[in-house]
Amino acid sequence: MESSNVIELKNIHYRYDRDLVLTNINLAVPKGAFLGIVGPNGSGKSTMLKIILGLQKPRKGSVVLFGQQQSKFREWERIGYVSQKANAFNTGFPATVYEVVASGLTKKAGLFRMIGNKRRPQIEKAIQAVSMEEFMDRNIGELSGGQQQRVFIARAIVSEPDVLILDEPTVGVDSKNVQTFYDMLERLNKELSITLMLVTHDIGTITNKVTHVACLNNTMHFHGSTEDFEQVKDNELSQFYGHDVQRLHHDHDHSNEAPTL
Amino acid sequence: MIQAIFEYEFLQNAFLTGLIIGVIAPLLGAFIVVRRLSLIADALSHVTLSGIAASLFLSKTFVVFNGLNPLWLGMGFSVAGSLFIERLRTVYKHYQELAIPIILSGGIGIGVIFISLADGFNTDLFSYLFGSVSAVSRSDLWLILAIAVTVISVVILLYKELFLLSFDEEYGKASGLSTRFLHLVFMIMVALVIAASMRIVGILLVSSLMTLPVAAAMRVARGFKQTIFFSIAFGETAVIFGLFSAFYLDLAPGGTIVLSSILILLTAIAFKKLQAMRK
Ligand SMILES: Nc1ncnc2c1ncn2[C@@H]1O[C@H](COP(=O)(O)OP(=O)(O)OP(=O)(O)O)[C@@H](O)[C@H]1O
Ligand SMILES: [Mg+2]
């Protein structure tokens, strides 16, 4: 039987080379939640996601996915992922948008199987969800950064995962498409009951949309429902970002861009 | 040559081998180029040289090794070299390209020692260096055919995994792929294809048959599958054209095949330029 939490972190500690980046992290993501993760640069948000995805091994603590210990977990197609550095790939790579999105089905299709024409409607649907159908046969390197980001979002949702993990997915996406994107996330969350984990610096937007909030700064400062977060919000955020929280509400697009490069 | 092919077994061997490597070298080459591993292919071909030289030395010195096909030892060295490169790449995480000069010079060093132990160059060795139309034996052909069948099957069966490994390794890992294992399988295939191709194009020019057709294909193709198909088409054209001219002009096929590939590459570049100008 699956527990009601799709993802659980228990007492996670992690260091790269020197100092601890994550200390004693506990996190529980209930099924169907839309969790917003906030925290300043270098606070360990991406690292925490990588630990969930098995890309980094924690020094201490345990990761439980769909009620199973991570080491025993095999159904990775149930978790979709858009990394923060998604468009730091080799831009000369000769792959079309269609091929890139199709590669999101690698695990789902199964070993030794082709991703054939039978799956074409599914792939096209994901491409339409991010409004990129016009560019389907274009090489990925011939797109703008924001368009590339949308392709990577399509790749993450094509396998119809149960959980979608997004690390600052809207960096470089223009405001019209950011809006469409958040609307799409809400639809995925409400209609298809996909659980969402979203790292963002865009605090204004997320408090309108998310059901849960996690504030991270090497340790977990706050983790709970959005209503509870509203009570402590200004206090928590000024601790992290300095007292000028208001500036962040307006300036988030610019503050996001630099660290991803 | 068409007539001669029916008459002489050695020409049949050379021609069929050429057709086979015209497929498998660019096929793997497409993955090698997009993964920026071209220099690794070069390094491995030099390791293959040391295997060939060792084999020639052994068969000259010890009677037991007399009938040994040098391809076997070349293949063995090449595969061992690919495993060694992987070790080095994990040791020098941030300077992965260091593995290349280490392996490359190591390969030549060992090769040179065996060559001098065997009392210098002979025509046999020359044919391994630059390829030959007359030196391919039936047993070479069978071995190369077996390598081709293996490599093509693995690429077809693991196509989507290899694509993901090449395009976005981290995402591959996050989807639960064992990227280390996959990479190892890939490197072993590269080692095998290098050993197979060397009979026709020669050790020094093997990597060019893996990279030049791909470089041309990337100019004109759209998407990765198309890049692979164009690469193979260009590779075959270069091999056929190169073998014919090598036969008629009595030249080493390695040279003529590489020159044909360069000609194709220049044509592709010019074609693309013209296309851009007309728009
Ligand atoms: N590959 C790495 N090697 C060593 N240290 C690293 C590595 N990646 C991250 N770090 C360090 O770990 C800390 C946390 O990094 P992480 O990328 O998780 O932060 P983040 O919260 O995602 O920040 P941002 O908002 O800038 O994306 C940082 O101090 C960073 O310097
Ligand atoms: Mg980050």
Side-chain angles (χ1 to χ4, degrees):
Chain A
M1 217 202 67
E2 272 178 25
S3 81
S4 62
N5 289 328
V6 287
I7 289 169
E8 283 173 38
L9 297 181
K10 290 176 192 153
N11 193 23
I12 295 284
H13 291 250
Y14 187 83
R15 77 172 84 227
Y16 283 97
D17 298 319
R18 294 187 242 129
D19 307 330
L20 276 171
V21 170
L22 296 173
T23 330
N24 194 21
I25 300 293
N26 289 289
L27 181 79
V29 187
K31 195 168 184 320
F34 185 165
L35 171 72
I37 301 167
V38 294
N41 295 141
S43 57
K45 304 180 296 295
S46 300
T47 307
M48 183 174 84
L49 298 188
K50 284 182 186 162
I51 286 173
I52 293 173
L53 291 158
L55 297 173
Q56 311 282 8
K57 296 272 164 278
R59 305 287 145 140
K60 225 171 105 185
S62 75
V63 181
V64 179
L65 305 170
F66 298 97
Q68 269 183 315
Q69 282 298 324
Q70 189 186 47
S71 54
K72 299 214 184 78
F73 184 74
R74 292 286 171 274
E75 307 160 301
W76 290 103
E77 69 276 12
R78 297 178 73 177
I79 303 180
Y81 173 50
V82 179
S83 100
Q84 185 175 8
K85 282 189 274 183
N87 43 12
F89 70 105
N90 162 15
T91 48
F93 199 103
T96 60
V97 168
Y98 183 87
E99 287 179 313
V100 171
V101 175
S103 74
L105 289 169
T106 300
K107 191 69 208 305
K108 195 164 192 176
L111 201 60
F112 304 143
R113 297 269 170 78
M114 295 266 190
I115 300 168
N117 272 335
K118 212 178 68 201
R119 296 192 181 265
R120 185 166 258 277
Q122 196 179 346
I123 295 164
E124 287 178 350
K125 203 175 101 197
I127 297 174
Q128 275 156 12
V130 294
S131 319
M132 285 296 289
E133 57 272 28
E134 205 186 322
F135 302 99
M136 201 133 75
D137 295 316
R138 188 84 78 85
N139 275 354
I140 181 92
E142 298 163 356
L143 299 175
S144 77
Q147 291 170 332
Q148 285 168 356
Q149 192 69 357
R150 277 148 69 188
V151 174
F152 292 117
I153 293 164
R155 176 178 68 175
I157 59 176
V158 69
S159 65
E160 296 172 352
D162 295 325
V163 184
L164 197 49
I165 296 181
L166 305 150
D167 197 348
E168 302 191 34
T170 54
V171 173
V173 178
D174 63 44
S175 55
K176 175 172 155 280
N177 279 298
V178 166
Q179 200 45 53
T180 333
F181 174 66
Y182 279 127
D183 291 346
M184 182 189 75
L185 286 188
E186 249 187 331
R187 236 182 19 253
L188 293 174
N189 183 235
K190 294 223 170 86
E191 289 167 24
L192 303 174
S193 52
I194 294 179
T195 310
L196 298 176
M197 292 178 76
L198 172 73
V199 170
T200 178
H201 294 285
D202 189 353
I203 293 153
T205 314
I206 68 157
T207 43
N208 295 329
K209 310 253 179 197
V210 302
T211 61
H212 294 74
V213 177
C215 289
L216 197 66
N217 197 358
N218 304 117
T219 59
M220 194 62 85
H221 278 238
F222 174 87
H223 173 34
S225 71
T226 311
E227 290 91 70
D228 295 343
F229 181 64
E230 293 290 345
Q231 313 295 318
V232 296
K233 183 166 112 188
D234 288 335
N235 187 24
E236 284 289 336
L237 292 180
S238 56
Q239 259 186 41
F240 287 178
Y241 294 104
H243 287 276
D244 204 2
V245 181
Q246 214 49 41
R247 199 193 62 89
L248 246 139
H249 283 268
H250 301 294
D251 243 16
H252 49 78
D253 275 352
H254 304 288
S255 56
N256 276 354
E257 271 156 24
T260 58
L261 290 178
Chain B
M1 185 174 171
I2 305 287
Q3 252 184 357
I5 284 180
F6 289 110
E7 272 173 48
Y8 300 108
E9 192 187 287
F10 79 88
L11 276 182
Q12 290 169 11
N13 295 343
F15 202 73
L16 291 174
T17 308
L19 290 182
I20 295 172
I21 64 167
V23 174
I24 55 175
L27 172 67
L28 275 197
F31 291 95
I32 291 177
V33 170
V34 297
R35 298 189 61 198
R36 302 176 192 274
L37 296 176
S38 313
L39 285 172
I40 288 197
D42 227 11
L44 278 185
S45 63
H46 289 81
V47 175
T48 315
L49 168 70
S50 57
I52 300 283
S55 186
L56 291 177
F57 164 71
L58 286 177
S59 55
K60 206 168 166 184
T61 325
F62 304 102
V63 200
V64 262
F65 292 111
N66 226 329
L68 185 72
N69 188 336
L71 261 188
W72 286 107
L73 218 52
M75 208 163 78
F77 270 56
S78 180
V79 169
S82 69
L83 301 180
F84 192 52
I85 286 183
E86 282 326 297
R87 273 268 12 100
L88 281 177
R89 268 155 63 96
T90 45
V91 173
Y92 292 103
K93 249 194 187 125
H94 299 286
Y95 296 94
Q96 297 201 347
E97 72 278 7
L98 255 184
I100 295 162
I102 296 174
I103 290 286
L104 194 135
S105 49
I108 297 184
I110 297 173
V112 164
I113 289 176
F114 279 116
I115 290 169
S116 29
L117 280 177
D119 281 338
F121 273 84
N122 53 19
T123 43
D124 235 14
L125 192 62
F126 187 83
S127 83
Y128 280 106
L129 283 177
F130 302 108
S132 159
V133 219
S134 56
V136 188
S137 68
R138 255 304 130 96
S139 74
D140 289 343
L141 175 60
W142 289 127
L143 182 57
I144 289 166
L145 186 66
I147 290 176
V149 170
T150 314
V151 166
I152 293 173
S153 317
V154 172
V155 170
I156 290 177
L157 287 175
L158 294 178
Y159 174 78
K160 62 184 190 315
E161 284 81 6
L162 288 170
F163 175 87
L164 203 50
L165 176 76
S166 316
F167 180 69
D168 189 344
E169 190 169 337
E170 186 187 55
Y171 187 80
K173 270 189 209 152
S175 342
L177 286 189
S178 169
T179 50
R180 273 187 61 189
F181 175 74
L182 209 58
H183 181 68
L184 198 66
V185 170
F186 180 75
M187 289 306 291
I188 291 174
M189 286 200 295
V190 172
L192 290 177
V193 168
I194 285 172
S197 310
M198 151 198 86
R199 230 36 196 116
I200 295 287
V201 274
I203 287 160
L204 294 178
L205 300 167
V206 166
S207 66
S208 63
L209 189 58
M210 300 182 114
T211 50
L212 292 181
V214 183
M218 292 212 301
R219 299 305 303 171
V220 291
R222 195 181 275 173
F224 193 58
K225 270 201 182 134
Q226 242 188 50
T227 303
I228 291 180
F229 288 126
F230 273 104
S231 304
I232 292 174
F234 291 157
E236 278 302 352
T237 313
V239 166
I240 292 170
F241 195 72
L243 278 180
F244 269 93
S245 36
F247 177 72
Y248 281 115
L249 306 171
D250 196 16
L251 300 168
T256 54
I257 291 174
V258 168
L259 282 186
S260 312
S261 310
I262 290 178
L263 223 59
I264 292 171
L265 177 63
L266 292 178
T267 314
I269 293 174
F271 173 80
K272 191 75 186 186
K273 279 258 160 67
L274 272 179
Q275 221 181 20
M277 273 200 301
R278 259 196 278 140
K279 270 183 197 156

